[in-house]
């Protein structure tokens, strides 16, 4: 499996390290042409406004909508979650607008800008340590969206078919199970394509 990490800004190297640890090849994606060679894409944390601006500048918006239309898996972590959402609280403009979720940026406020918590995640057997950094929350999900994890009754991970999103940073611990989960999604989507 060759999994790309969008490398315009943010936590790129850490994701590549985790992908390699989980048995896939991680590739930094800087140009739209590179999307043809990958089986899935992680959009990392960072600053969603900055990444969104660079995505527009480097023609990633249309290219990633086409990538997603082919059911190629996309995993948005933290700022990446904001970038794939169809709705952002208090903002009329969205970025990729792919996943049927409504998100609130910096949802934990100033007092709890960064913290860690053990999270139960559907599909992963033991708790995953979630690192939250000025994290967004998913405040509403559409019908086709499955909630994978909550923290204090608030949604911090969800999946809609080939789209995966987490409020936290799964690349900042030594635990690569979230990456393994995503690699499995990419493997399944690839075998679905080759069978049809
Ligand atoms: N607060 C950032 C944003 O709104 C996201 C933070 C992160 O990715 N760690 O873009």
């Amino acid at each position: 499996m060759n999994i790309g990490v969008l490398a315009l800004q943010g936590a790129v190297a850490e994701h590549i390290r985790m992908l390699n640890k989980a048995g896939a090849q991680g590739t930094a994606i800087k140009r739209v042409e590179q999307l043809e060679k990958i089986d899935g894409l992680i959009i990392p944390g960072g600053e969603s406004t900055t990444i969104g601006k660079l995505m527009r500048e480097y023609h990633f918006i249309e290219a990633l909508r086409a990538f997603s239309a082919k059911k190629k898996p996309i995993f948005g972590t933290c700022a990446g979650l904001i970038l794939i959402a169809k709705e952002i609280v208090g903002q009329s403009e969205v970025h990729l607008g792919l996943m049927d979720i409504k998100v609130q940026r910096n949802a934990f406020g100033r007092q709890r800008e960064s913290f860690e918590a053990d999270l139960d995640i559907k599909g992963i057997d033991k708790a995953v340590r979630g690192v939250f950094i000025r994290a967004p929350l998913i405040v509403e999900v559409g019908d086709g969206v499955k909630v994978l994890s909550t923290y204090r009754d608030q949604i911090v991970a969800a999946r809609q078919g080939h789209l995966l999103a987490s409020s936290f940073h799964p690349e900042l611990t030594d635990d690569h199970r979230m990456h393994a989960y995503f690699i499995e999604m990419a493997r399944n989507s690839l075998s679905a394509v080759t069978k049809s």
Side-chain angles (χ1 to χ4, degrees):
M1 284 292 108
N2 189 353
I3 307 288
V5 181
L6 188 67
L8 299 176
Q9 190 243 4
V12 177
E14 294 85 347
H15 275 295
I16 291 180
R17 185 175 61 86
M18 290 302 253
L19 287 165
N20 294 340
K21 238 176 117 175
Q25 191 193 325
T27 306
I29 302 296
K30 295 189 170 155
R31 290 172 290 107
V32 288
E33 298 78 48
Q34 293 176 282
L35 294 175
E36 280 162 35
K37 299 204 179 81
I38 55 172
D39 306 307
L41 179 77
I42 294 178
I43 305 181
E47 188 57 46
S48 57
T49 317
T50 307
I51 302 177
K53 192 169 157 261
L54 293 168
M55 275 171 119
R56 283 177 186 80
E57 215 169 297
Y58 293 98
H59 312 288
F60 271 102
I61 301 286
E62 287 314 314
L64 282 178
R65 284 181 182 151
F67 185 86
S68 175
K70 285 189 257 171
K71 302 284 177 234
K72 292 229 186 166
I74 299 178
F75 182 11
T77 67
C78 205
L81 168 155
I82 300 164
L83 289 156
I84 64 175
K86 276 197 179 158
E87 233 184 302
I88 304 171
V89 174
Q91 266 177 239
S92 54
E93 253 191 63
V94 295
H95 303 279
L96 290 165
L98 298 173
M99 189 169 178
D100 209 359
I101 52 176
K102 182 172 179 176
V103 304
Q104 183 170 2
R105 296 179 63 194
N106 304 322
F108 293 94
R110 282 188 162 272
Q111 281 166 342
R112 294 205 77 193
E113 283 205 333
S114 327
F115 62 96
E116 294 185 15
D118 284 330
L119 305 168
D120 285 324
I121 298 183
K122 284 203 179 85
I124 296 182
D125 56 4
K126 278 192 214 108
V128 166
R129 189 91 182 141
V131 180
F132 293 82
I133 304 168
R134 300 183 63 223
L137 269 179
I138 301 172
V139 291
E140 265 174 51
V141 297
D143 285 342
V145 180
K146 191 171 158 191
V147 173
L148 297 184
S149 187
T150 57
Y151 170 73
R152 297 192 172 164
D153 294 328
Q154 293 175 301
I155 304 167
V156 294
R159 176 172 173 182
Q160 181 177 21
H162 65 295
L163 303 171
L164 180 67
S166 74
S167 296
F168 55 92
H169 285 258
E171 78 287 8
L172 294 181
T173 64
D174 276 333
D175 183 348
H176 59 263
R177 287 175 298 161
M178 280 299 285
H179 290 79
Y181 181 100
F182 183 62
I183 294 165
E184 197 52 35
M185 278 172 62
R187 193 171 284 129
N188 292 337
S189 112
L190 196 64
S191 67
V193 172
T194 32
K195 264 184 221 141
S196 63

